[in-house]
Every structure is written in C-alpha cells, then in structure tokens.
Amino acid sequence: MSPIFEEVRLRLPHIELAAHLYGPEDGLPVIALHGWLDNAASFARLAPRLPGLRIVALDFAGHGHSDHRPLGASYAIWDYVHDVLQVAEQFGWQRFSLLGHSMGAIVSVLLAGALPERVARLALIDGLMPYTGEAESAPQKLAEALKAQMALAGKRKPVYAQFDRAVEARMRGVGAVSREAAELLAQRGLMPVPGGFTWRTDSRLTLPSPLRLTRAHAQAFVRHLQCPTSLVLAEQGMLLAQPGLRELLEEVSVSRTELPGGHHLHLDDEGGAQLVADCFNPFLRSP
C-alpha cells in the first residue's frame, strides 16, 4: 500500500515538528496523534481511508523526524498538548477535530477537556487516560525518576545490524504489533549509524515520569469533555484492562465500539484499519 501524503516540517515558536498531510486542503481539519515511541506512520493505513478530511499526522516531539526537546527539558504529557495547539495555530484552525491513538488519545482528551471551545470532535483508538499515581507514591516516583535521569548519560541506544532485527524488536515492544506495522513504523523511526540502525527517538522518552496525575485528576478531564467523542476499544488491546474504565464510561457521553484486534488494530492489517475507518468516517464528517 502506497498512501499519498505530503511530508512537511512545522516551525513552531519553540520547536520544529514533522508531519504527514493527507486529504484536500479544504477538508475538515483533523490533527492525528500517535502513541508513545511510535510516529506519524501509525496512520499510514487509516488516514487514506478517511476521505474529505485534512489530516495532519504529527511526529510528536522526540519521535520520528521531529526535533528533540532541548537539553534540560522533559516530555511531560501536557507539553504535548501545547505543541498540538501551536500546530493548530500554524494552520489557522480555531476549531478542529482530534484523532488519537494510545498516548495520542490521552493528549487529545487533555486538550479537549481543558479547552473545549477548540475541539470539534474526538476520535480515540484504545486510549483515554494517562497512567495515574496517588499522593502517597509521589516521593518514591520522583526518586525513581531522578535516579533514572542521572543514569541516562551512561546508557546507549541499541544498534541493530540489520533493518529486520529492528523490526523484530519493535514487534515485541510495548503494544506489540504485526510485522507489517513494525516495518511501517521502523521505516520512519530508524536512522543509520555505524554498525547498522538505531531509533531516532529521544532516549529521554523512556524515563519514568517524575509526577503523575491522580486518578481524580485524570477522570476530571474525561468528565469535562463537551464535544462528541467516539472511542474504539481493541478487544486484545491495553485500555480494557485499566481499572474502573467501564464504570467511568458509564458516567460520561462517550460513544464506544469494541473491535477485534490488538492495541495497534488500525495499523496491524488492512482489515483492522477498515473497521476503524468504518467507525470514524460518519463520525468525523458529521456536522
């Protein structure tokens, strides 16, 4: 499959991000946000199946071909929210929809909950709320994060002698994917180095979070959603295992559909991508 897209770089006031543009310039505006350690290729199968939309599929900061954050900076999830707002400003979009997978879905919910006047619709794939932490665990979590930061300088990224070795590693990674999906992500996510290939991603992305939202904080964003929201749950994915998810969804106006497949069901194969597209096409194009 050879999707038609335009590769662009977006010079924001504080960082330069890369993105794939899909669809007509006058299409309904949508910003597509991938998961942790993935990249814009996450939407390579899905985006071409969503006609009539102008989709900006970002590489998040530190991922894919986007810049890494400056030395001394971190990758707090709310900083991604600011990045997305700045991308919308670049395109002159005062109101837009969000298509998010996993971490991208979480960023979407945070933005829509905080600034409901900016987000028209939310289309979420196997993601809703961040991992949370309660007050009593905060000192321990900060200690773990500080120790990991201090140790990072002594660590090196893995180098794979062959491209296929990196693909196999990605297949077994967090949110395991099919070989075809791993190849799509690797084609965008790898760079050549002496001895083979390594990932473009910023090593700081693997550091533990020094501070997490409490469950009450995270649920407040979901409860504050005002735009129409459609959530696709993967039957063999990661979201259904979150404690209290079904109870929360019973309280809020979030339309949900359970589909067969794993966490990357929109990318693993053509059939999964079509099932997700069938859910989101009428939803995203509704007035």
Side-chain angles (χ1 to χ4, degrees):
M1 182 178 182
S2 300
I4 299 173
F5 59 82
E6 179 185 356
E7 177 86 38
V8 297
R9 295 196 66 81
L10 306 172
R11 293 187 178 181
L12 308 184
H14 61 298
I15 198 168
E16 187 167 295
L17 302 182
H20 289 166
L21 294 184
Y22 293 88
E25 289 188 21
D26 60 351
L28 294 170
V30 177
I31 301 176
L33 307 175
H34 62 77
W36 179 62
L37 300 184
D38 289 344
N39 54 59
S42 178
F43 299 100
R45 293 190 192 272
L46 179 59
R49 290 178 160 83
L50 300 173
L53 306 178
R54 181 60 161 174
I55 298 175
V56 180
L58 286 182
D59 283 335
F60 273 131
H63 296 74
H65 289 259
S66 286
D67 285 352
H68 295 183
R69 297 209 190 277
L71 293 176
S74 62
Y75 287 90
I77 196 156
W78 37 82
D79 291 328
Y80 292 124
V81 177
H82 176 243
D83 295 342
V84 175
L85 271 180
Q86 290 286 2
V87 168
E89 293 296 311
Q90 285 271 310
F91 285 90
W93 294 346
Q94 285 303 304
R95 194 161 169 81
F96 50 90
S97 294
L98 292 168
L99 167 61
H101 169 243
S102 195
M103 186 182 80
I106 295 165
V107 172
S108 300
V109 169
L110 294 181
L111 176 51
L115 295 177
E117 69 276 10
R118 297 298 300 270
V119 181
R121 290 179 172 268
L122 280 182
L124 311 176
I125 305 169
D126 216 44
L128 186 69
M129 295 194 318
Y131 290 109
T132 57
E134 300 309 311
E136 58 271 16
S137 66
Q140 175 189 348
K141 292 299 182 184
L142 179 57
E144 292 171 358
L146 290 171
K147 291 175 182 177
Q149 288 174 9
M150 297 300 289
L152 186 64
K155 295 185 176 180
R156 295 291 179 267
K157 292 182 182 179
V159 174
Y160 305 93
Q162 292 91 29
F163 178 86
D164 284 349
R165 297 298 186 203
V167 168
E168 290 165 4
R170 182 60 191 89
M171 289 172 65
R172 300 188 299 268
V174 177
V177 297
S178 69
R179 174 170 288 276
E180 289 184 0
E183 288 175 349
L184 288 166
L185 294 170
Q187 285 165 9
R188 186 163 183 82
L190 288 174
M191 62 181 182
V193 294
F197 301 89
T198 194
W199 300 102
R200 296 178 181 274
T201 46
D202 192 332
S203 297
R204 290 173 291 174
L205 292 168
T206 62
L207 291 173
S209 299
L211 182 67
R212 286 181 173 177
L213 298 177
T214 67
R215 182 174 296 185
H217 279 118
Q219 290 183 350
F221 283 94
V222 179
R223 293 191 176 101
H224 203 250
L225 294 176
Q226 298 179 27
C227 65
T229 301
S230 177
L231 170 63
V232 165
L233 293 159
E235 291 178 356
Q236 290 79 46
M238 299 171 66
L239 188 57
L240 281 171
Q242 281 197 0
L245 174 73
R246 292 191 184 276
E247 292 80 1
L248 175 63
L249 290 177
E250 291 298 325
E251 299 177 31
V252 296
S253 298
V254 173
S255 171
R256 55 195 182 276
T257 305
E258 292 189 27
L259 293 177
H263 186 56
H264 288 74
L265 74 166
H266 65 298
L267 182 65
D268 276 335
D269 55 51
E270 301 289 349
Q274 189 60 56
L275 288 174
V276 176
D278 290 343
C279 287
F280 288 159
N281 265 316
F283 173 75
L284 288 170
R285 295 207 300 265
S286 296

